[in-house]
Amino acid sequence: MTAMPQPHRCPLPVPLILVILLAWFPFSTTEGQTSSLGPSQKKKIDQLFREWNRPGYPGAAIGLMHHGRLIHARGYGEADLEHQVPIDAKTVFYMASVSKHFVSFCILLLEERGQLGLDDRIQKFLPDFPEYEQPLTIRHFIHHTSGVRDHLTLWTLAGNSILDHIDQRAIYDLIKRQKNLNFQPGEKYLYSNSCYFLLTKIVEKTTGLPFRVFAEREIFKPLGMKNTRFHDDVRNLIRNRAFSYSGSAGRFSNLISRFDLIGSGGLYSNIEDMARWEANLLKNRLGKGSQSLIDKLQQDGILNNGTSCGYAFGLINGTFSGRRISEHGGALLGYRTHYLRFPDQEFSVVVLANVPPVNPGRKARQVAAIFFGDPDREKTSGPASAKPAKRDTGPTKNTREKTKVDLDDYVGAYYSEELDTHYLFQKQGDELLMRIQNRQLPPRRLILSKKDLWRASVGNQHFAFSRDRDSKRVNGFTLDAGRVLGLRFEKQD
């Protein structure tokens, strides 16, 4: 009996087999081949998140990347407490200010194509933007050295909530109404979310595309980041989303938001997609594929005096445990995020949380210390915890007697054209209270610091009152509140 002939099989060349395998498994949610974590390291990392690793608790997702591969990913707690959905590497989080270096990357892509220059004046793209004494450039916006007041602070100072939907036109008009900058462009660094909101507008003017579409086409789709998007319409669905919560010790409440502004934030992503982004930072595939684009992304901005402003292109450079790092954190509502990179070691940690007490910045450093075997930093790494503030009980009796202040001097209505908002000052016993007209907000108690200078008992608002030269009558005040300086209110008769 003649044997049946066997079909001829042509073996694939070994390199081609490897290409197919790498294409089929581009990222692993477990340990990769480049390095791995030992059982003791995994246990130590789990211990960092043990408080949140239980049913009925929100929590966090973590990812460790080494040489461009996701070597460890884990979820702790729940993404959706109402439906008991656990967090894992696919859970999508609001990235908050970690969004900023993706905005910067879009600007660098357009610069690479010759469609804009970093030293172009803002009015070239936004001709209706106000002119100030000194020119404002794209570079100023990228490095937070513009002096443009922070739009989210302005929005809340006007008595609004960032939990609500904010119309983009209303925010743009609010920024444009500001008669002054916080300082001369390039003189200082002061973080301003307005800068990155306006950068998205510049991208849209340059490309003729919505910013969300441009980022999707030029970054997320080419890299296979299928779960990443700039969310500019609150009505759109986000699959596998983690919802945000406030509270602790098992008593949590929803932080329900209709916020969908993009630029300063607005990005949604997950651990698996951030691993794809990290791989591209190590070997760029976007634009012209030049690594110089990545190098520029990590360069600090320079102030007018020639010194570093301490902020790169949506990243902050520094050192940790003797190693060079590049990082950025984010916070909005209950979301807390942190992206920590060690460029020289090609190692990164991403921590994404949906409740504030997790503190991803501190956790990321502790995880890195475990990876590198730095036992002295495993428990103490991260920003030093601030000493608890002393409880503010207001001015003492002796202070009141010394200043002999007449509260009636300050009572009345004050109007800010820049906010289009009235502040009302009222006397209640021996205290001065401030509330915002037509806003259902509790009044804020003010504390006298020195003559004509008051501060809010809660928050960082400072009120410096001015008087007529002749009559000594109070005629208005300027308000400083963190990222907004010298905001003028005039007293209304």
Side-chain angles (χ1 to χ4, degrees):
M1 182 175 180
T2 306
M4 294 290 293
Q6 296 297 313
H8 177 69
R9 301 184 185 274
C10 180
L12 289 173
V14 171
L16 183 56
I17 292 175
L18 290 176
V19 168
I20 292 173
L21 289 175
L22 289 175
W24 189 256
F25 301 106
F27 297 96
S28 171
T29 57
T30 58
E31 286 64 28
Q33 297 179 353
T34 54
S35 61
S36 62
L37 296 178
S40 64
Q41 289 175 307
K42 293 178 185 178
K43 185 176 180 180
K44 287 180 179 180
I45 292 174
D46 288 344
Q47 283 291 102
L48 294 177
F49 296 89
R50 65 186 182 278
E51 178 183 355
W52 309 100
N53 193 26
R54 61 182 77 181
Y57 274 60
I62 66 165
L64 282 67
M65 300 85 168
H66 197 207
H67 300 316
R69 291 184 62 82
L70 184 59
I71 63 168
H72 182 69
R74 182 79 195 276
Y76 304 92
E78 295 179 349
D80 183 341
L81 299 185
E82 295 179 8
H83 297 92
Q84 299 178 314
V85 179
I87 293 172
D88 60 24
K90 297 182 183 298
T91 302
V92 176
F93 289 79
Y94 182 80
M95 302 296 288
S97 287
V98 174
S99 311
K100 287 184 170 69
H101 75 276
F102 290 91
V103 176
S104 290
F105 195 86
C106 289
I107 291 289
L108 290 177
L109 284 174
L110 294 177
E111 184 199 31
E112 184 181 64
R113 298 173 185 176
Q115 293 181 258
L116 56 74
L118 299 186
D119 295 312
D120 287 344
R121 297 182 65 164
I122 299 306
Q123 289 80 8
K124 178 179 178 180
F125 309 94
L126 305 174
D128 59 338
F129 199 78
E131 296 269 4
Y132 296 97
E133 291 183 8
Q134 301 294 326
L136 283 167
T137 67
I138 292 175
R139 193 183 299 275
H140 290 138
F141 280 12
I142 286 172
H143 301 302
H144 297 294
T145 59
S146 70
V148 173
R149 292 166 173 167
D150 183 84
H151 69 296
L152 296 182
T153 306
L154 290 169
W155 189 252
T156 55
L157 288 175
N160 303 303
S161 171
I162 57 173
L163 289 173
D164 297 330
H165 171 73
I166 305 174
D167 182 75
Q168 291 194 26
R169 173 53 60 178
I171 279 289
Y172 186 50
D173 289 343
L174 177 61
I175 298 171
K176 289 195 301 177
R177 282 204 303 272
Q178 305 309 301
K179 297 180 179 179
N180 298 293
L181 301 173
N182 283 328
F183 48 80
Q184 181 178 327
E187 285 296 307
K188 300 178 182 179
Y189 162 85
L190 182 61
Y191 196 89
S192 174
N193 287 293
S194 297
C195 296
Y196 277 74
F197 169 76
L198 293 168
L199 286 173
T200 65
K201 297 300 172 192
I202 290 172
V203 171
E204 291 178 345
K205 288 283 187 178
T206 304
T207 65
L209 296 171
F211 183 80
R212 166 184 54 80
V213 174
F214 181 79
E216 168 70 20
R217 189 180 72 179
E218 302 296 332
I219 300 177
F220 307 140
K221 189 172 182 179
L223 296 182
M225 298 172 69
K226 296 180 180 180
N227 296 290
T228 303
R229 63 181 296 172
F230 276 96
H231 187 60
D232 60 0
D233 189 337
V234 71
R235 297 169 297 181
N236 291 336
L237 301 178
I238 299 176
R239 298 191 185 281
N240 299 320
R241 172 171 22 184
F243 292 92
S244 76
Y245 301 93
S246 62
S248 60
R251 302 185 66 177
F252 302 103
S253 58
N254 282 316
L255 280 176
I256 300 172
S257 170
R258 298 179 64 239
F259 183 88
D260 55 8
L261 283 180
I262 61 174
S264 58
L267 185 75
Y268 280 82
S269 190
N270 64 11
I271 293 296
E272 291 184 343
D273 276 6
M274 288 299 293
R276 292 176 169 86
W277 174 246
E278 170 66 17
N280 190 71
L281 293 186
L282 298 178
K283 188 175 182 180
N284 182 35
R285 296 164 44 199
L286 302 177
K288 297 180 180 178
S290 170
Q291 201 63 22
S292 63
L293 196 68
I294 308 302
D295 295 338
K296 193 164 190 176
L297 191 72
Q298 300 173 91
Q299 292 177 3
D300 280 354
I302 304 299
L303 298 175
N304 294 342
N305 63 8
T307 63
S308 169
C309 73
Y311 193 90
F313 289 71
L315 292 168
I316 300 171
N317 296 316
T319 58
F320 173 69
S321 194
R323 301 176 182 90
R324 187 166 64 96
I325 64 171
S326 186
E327 64 182 333
H328 210 291
L332 188 73
L333 310 173
Y335 296 106
R336 296 294 185 270
T337 60
H338 205 86
Y339 183 25
L340 173 63
R341 305 187 67 241
F342 293 78
D344 297 333
Q345 288 77 29
E346 296 189 352
F347 174 74
S348 295
V349 181
V350 176
V351 181
L352 310 176
N354 62 341
V355 68
V358 171
N359 195 341
R362 188 176 188 85
K363 298 295 187 190
R365 281 169 162 74
Q366 291 173 320
V367 169
I370 291 170
F371 176 82
F372 288 118
D374 299 336
D376 56 326
R377 292 187 176 270
E378 288 177 9
K379 295 182 180 180
T380 61
S381 61
S385 57
K387 295 180 179 179
K390 294 182 179 179
R391 187 169 180 266
D392 199 339
T393 57
T396 63
K397 182 178 179 182
N398 290 337
T399 302
R400 292 193 185 101
E401 289 176 353
K402 189 180 295 183
T403 56
K404 295 182 180 179
V405 63
D406 187 349
L407 297 183
D408 289 325
D409 286 355
Y410 308 101
V411 170
Y414 298 76
Y415 177 72
S416 166
E417 182 180 348
E418 293 166 292
L419 291 182
D420 190 21
T421 301
H422 283 90
Y423 278 22
L424 303 179
F425 289 78
Q426 300 169 322
K427 183 174 69 171
Q428 181 174 296
D430 62 351
E431 292 188 328
L432 187 65
L433 304 179
M434 184 278 291
R435 66 183 181 87
I436 301 176
Q437 190 176 47
N438 300 325
R439 296 291 190 272
Q440 299 300 314
L441 298 171
R444 183 157 295 184
R445 184 169 63 93
L446 302 185
I447 298 169
L448 183 66
S449 297
K450 61 181 180 180
K451 181 177 174 58
D452 290 337
L453 181 62
W454 297 75
R455 61 185 176 85
S457 59
V458 177
N460 60 353
Q461 298 180 16
H462 295 262
F463 304 82
F465 287 86
S466 58
R467 296 176 181 263
D468 292 333
R469 184 170 297 179
D470 299 327
S471 67
K472 303 300 182 183
R473 167 186 172 274
V474 170
N475 58 27
F477 67 87
T478 56
L479 171 62
D480 289 353
R483 297 167 187 167
V484 170
L485 309 177
L487 186 66
R488 181 68 183 172
F489 284 74
E490 299 294 339
K491 191 169 187 180
Q492 306 292 290
D493 294 325

